[in-house]
Structure formats: structure tokens, C-alpha cells
Amino acid sequence: MKNKIFFLILIALIFTAVFLWPKKHTNPSSSPTGKKNYENYRADLSLLKVSFDHPADWKPTDDEGKIDRYSQIIVLGPKTQEDSYRPSFVVRGVPVKGSEGGWFDSLEKFKMNHLIHVYKDRQIVAENKTPVAQIESEDIVYTHTIPASHIHNFQHPEFHVKSRVLFFRDSHQFYQIIYSADVKQFDLYQEDFDHLLESFTFEHA
């Protein structure tokens, strides 16, 4: 039960940010040469000391779990004219069981807890092994449906979302790096997410 509550709290935080952040209709950042502009973000949170690049016009915000132990950065993409589901990247650190209040003792359990608590109509469309900062990750892409009532947006009955989630472990922590977007827009920002993964590094003290 605690695992479910923990996961739903994290999802609620992301959805609240996605839909309540001030609306700004923008296009992906680009320079006069046609190359996209990126900014480097350095996280110095209790469970998340990492750095990564994100599109310059996307807005990062950090969050620390007050009861459940986690640290995360939510990076919000542009709001679309169609008012569809807003694209976002999430980088999250969670302690391993027995270390600072963690609940999971294996990467498989950590991954499965995420997947079983996805909203409805989940369909896995791809599974791969992808290196992140020289660590092999479980890389999963899936589609799912989010009822509008869960995110307090009643202009649409539901949202059809595609997500890509990478799960991996370093020392006494699990990590998730997540990309979510409306199914129709998912390919638009896949290159930006790949750039984030390539730029991701640990900032150990």
C-alpha cells in the first residue's frame, strides 16, 4: 500500500506541474544555424547530485520528498496550442531499501512498482538496454491513458500519453529518467531526450 501511495504522490506532482505551470506557447529552442540551444542543469539535492542538458526554453524545477524519500527534477516543455498533454523530462533519485528509508531492494522491483501503477491501458512497445553515464539501464517505452479527472483538466476526456523510462542503479540509489508526451508529439522531442541522456553525469562530492 505504501508503495502505491508513494508512486501516486510522485505522479500527482508531475501532473500538477505539467498542467498548472504558466502557459507559454513556444517552439523548441534553436539558434540561427538551426541547431538547438541547450542549458546545463546541475542538481545538488539530497538524493540527486547529477548534471544534464535540457532545451534552453524548457523550465526545470526541483522537488524533495518530505515523507517519502526521493529527489527529482521536473523539466517542463512548451504548452501546445491544442492544449494537449505537456511534454516533460523527469530525473529522479530514490534510495535503495535499508538506506535512508528506501523501499526496494532490487532494480526489478523498483521498475515493476512503476509499471504496475501506470494509469490505464498500458501497452509496452519497446524494451532495451541503454547505457547512461556508463551504467546499463532498463529502457522501456510504453503508451497509456490518463483520465482528465486525475489531472484536473476537463477540456479533454482523457489524454493518450507515450512515455520512455530508464531505470538504473548506482551505489545505494536507484534512478529514473523519464520522458512523457502526448502520443502525437512524442517524436518531436525524442532527440532532446537523447541529448539529455548523453549529457547525463554524476556530480559526486
Side-chain angles (χ1 to χ4, degrees):
M1 182 65 180
K2 283 187 176 181
N3 292 353
K4 183 175 182 179
I5 293 172
F6 168 70
F7 181 80
L8 292 178
I9 289 172
L10 293 179
I11 292 296
L13 286 168
I14 296 171
F15 290 159
T16 299
V18 165
F19 286 97
L20 296 184
W21 195 277
K23 297 182 180 181
K24 183 179 181 181
H25 301 288
T26 60
N27 294 318
S29 175
S30 61
S31 68
T33 63
K35 293 183 178 180
K36 292 185 179 180
N37 293 325
Y38 293 99
E39 291 183 356
N40 184 258
Y41 188 92
R42 291 179 179 269
D44 188 21
L45 305 178
S46 61
L47 297 170
L48 199 60
K49 299 184 186 301
V50 301
S51 66
F52 57 87
D53 293 348
H54 65 82
D57 55 352
W58 289 39
K59 304 300 181 183
T61 183
D62 60 63
D63 175 50
E64 295 262 24
K66 300 299 188 294
I67 299 176
D68 300 307
R69 295 286 292 134
Y70 68 87
S71 298
Q72 67 180 7
I73 307 298
I74 302 172
V75 188
L76 292 176
K79 192 75 174 177
T80 65
Q81 295 289 347
E82 297 79 15
D83 197 32
S84 61
Y85 185 85
R86 192 170 183 176
S88 66
F89 300 153
V90 179
V91 178
R92 180 182 301 141
V94 177
V96 173
K97 187 175 182 178
S99 173
E100 301 186 61
W103 289 346
F104 309 103
D105 57 12
S106 72
L107 186 64
E108 182 66 18
K109 291 179 181 178
F110 180 58
K111 178 184 73 175
M112 291 309 299
N113 181 71
H114 175 94
L115 293 175
I116 64 177
H117 292 121
V118 170
Y119 283 109
K120 66 176 186 176
D121 303 329
R122 187 201 74 205
Q123 293 187 347
I124 294 177
V125 297
E127 295 185 72
N128 295 289
K129 304 284 189 181
T130 301
V132 179
Q134 300 183 332
I135 299 174
E136 185 176 79
S137 74
E138 300 281 342
D139 185 349
I140 299 177
V141 180
Y142 60 87
T143 58
H144 56 118
T145 301
I146 302 173
S149 59
H150 285 267
I151 45 183
H152 307 293
N153 185 316
F154 299 98
Q155 297 183 38
H156 303 273
E158 57 188 13
F159 293 91
H160 300 290
V161 176
K162 190 171 184 178
S163 297
R164 181 182 174 193
V165 187
L166 291 87
F167 305 85
F168 56 100
R169 177 176 177 171
D170 176 56
S171 187
H172 298 296
Q173 286 188 205
F174 295 119
Y175 293 88
Q176 287 172 290
I177 305 181
I178 306 168
Y179 167 38
S180 294
D182 185 283
V183 168
K184 295 179 180 178
Q185 294 185 321
F186 187 84
D187 290 344
L188 291 177
Y189 307 105
Q190 183 65 54
E191 180 181 346
D192 296 321
F193 187 64
D194 288 338
H195 183 87
L196 182 155
L197 296 177
E198 292 170 1
S199 65
F200 182 93
T201 57
F202 293 103
E203 299 290 332
H204 295 298

